[in-house]
Amino acid sequence: VSIQSMLSRPAADVEGNIRQALDLEKAGCEIVRVAIPDMDAVRLVDAIKSQIQIPLVADIHFDYRLALECVAAGIDKVRINPGNIGDKSRVRAVVKACKFKNIPIRIGVNSGSLEKELLEKYGAPTAEALVESAMRHVSLLEKNDFDDIVISIKSSDVKTMVDAYRLAAQRCEYPLHLGVTEAGTERMGLIKSAAGIGSLLLDGIGDTIRISLTDDPVREIAAAKDILKA
């Protein structure tokens, strides 16, 4: 099970992001993610990758062109929500670019950004709603002959998160990235993550984990190691 974390420095602070990435790698982080909010931020890809040995993931929201630019810049993995980057032709463009360079795509579904029609159908971001959303996105990629996929289905509610991942594990064979989103302060974040991620790991579910703490991300690595040890 690989330990992940995410850089928390502003995108404009290139040196700060590099420093943080190096600190995370030194602490035992095995995959690091960086948010790419705009075109200026694409420069982070080469700047960080040239300094670290571990894979770098680009976190993309809304603008599919950012994904294409990150692929061109040499990113190791792209995290997108295929439902929020536009029409099928845009999804197809990202898939084609990733396929050409053998870059995996992580589908990220989050209870806070569920499709409107699924919210109406289920009445709330239930485990079933989250998994249906994820499977829709998976089929979008599969229709474009792409299966180098990782799935994350995050919720800040521990039971919803656990139920969703158990359901996803029954429905597909893709690797699962585990996390309790917006887990909260370090104390509460640790407890929620241990309960949620720990339950799933004991079931044999989960391939990568991220402990989300509103703190220095280096502390997430120690917490992840402790949960894995336990």
Side-chain angles (χ1 to χ4, degrees), residues 21 24-25 29-32 49 52-56 76:
L24 282 166
E25 184 176 42
C29 180
E30 294 164 304
I31 301 171
V32 66
K49 268 187 66 65
I52 60 173
Q53 306 301 312
I54 58 175
L56 184 66
D76 297 299

Side-chain angles (χ1 to χ4, degrees), residues 197-218:
I197 292 171
S199 297
L200 291 162
L201 291 173
L202 289 170
D203 284 348
I205 295 169
D207 300 274
T208 76
I209 64 172
R210 154 106 194 273
I211 316 298
S212 298
L213 303 176
T214 48
D215 207 318
D216 180 348
V218 171

